[in-house]
Amino acid sequence: MQIVLLLVLISKSITLERYPELFFFFLGAIISSILAYGLLYAKIKASIHLIAISALCYFILGLNVHYELHNSNTIAFLFFITGIVASSRLAMKAHSLKELAIGYAVGMLPQIILWGFWL
């Protein structure tokens, strides 16, 4: 359902012509969702929380590079929050370290790959 809603969002509201940065962010979210869904069928658990926060972190990093903003405090804060989210998932015994690493990679990689199209 999330994949369909994101597809509707980027086809109707956040189009490539109007908001190219947000378009590629949500396209990365679609790719991450498809990867997480595929991993589910492969019986590999990934942290959805880490997928979301790592995707946001690398999107904001890309925005800083694109607009030459130099917001190092924002980037440091996002990486700090990523660590807090990962620590909380470990402390609650919701995920293993492997599952957290997979979630981080699934959120990060599509954003970094899509940088080539809008940076």
Side-chain angles (χ1 to χ4, degrees):
M1 183 62 109
Q2 177 185 355
I3 296 167
V4 172
L5 290 174
L6 287 171
L7 283 171
V8 169
L9 182 68
I10 67 171
S11 66
K12 301 292 183 191
S13 296
I14 301 175
T15 61
L16 181 60
E17 295 80 27
R18 293 179 70 190
Y19 307 105
E21 296 87 1
L22 280 176
F23 176 84
F24 285 111
F25 171 68
F26 286 113
L27 183 60
I30 291 170
I31 294 168
S32 293
S33 297
I34 291 169
L35 288 172
Y37 192 64
L39 287 172
L40 179 67
Y41 280 106
K43 305 267 193 255
I44 300 171
K45 190 175 171 186
S47 172
I48 302 293
H49 290 90
L50 239 53
I51 290 173
I53 194 68
S54 66
L56 176 66
C57 187
Y58 283 89
F59 173 69
I60 298 296
L61 184 63
L63 280 178
N64 278 288
V65 170
H66 182 65
Y67 289 112
E68 300 174 1
L69 294 176
H70 309 296
N71 287 334
S72 57
N73 290 338
T74 305
I75 301 301
F77 176 74
L78 284 170
F79 278 107
F80 178 71
I81 294 299
T82 302
I84 289 176
V85 169
S87 297
S88 72
R89 304 308 292 164
L90 282 174
M92 294 184 341
K93 297 186 184 349
H95 293 287
S96 68
L97 195 56
K98 178 183 172 186
E99 294 165 351
L100 292 176
I102 291 169
Y104 188 83
V106 168
M108 172 190 64
L109 290 176
Q111 294 299 324
I112 290 176
I113 290 168
L114 290 174
W115 281 354
F117 295 99
W118 67 274
L119 273 185

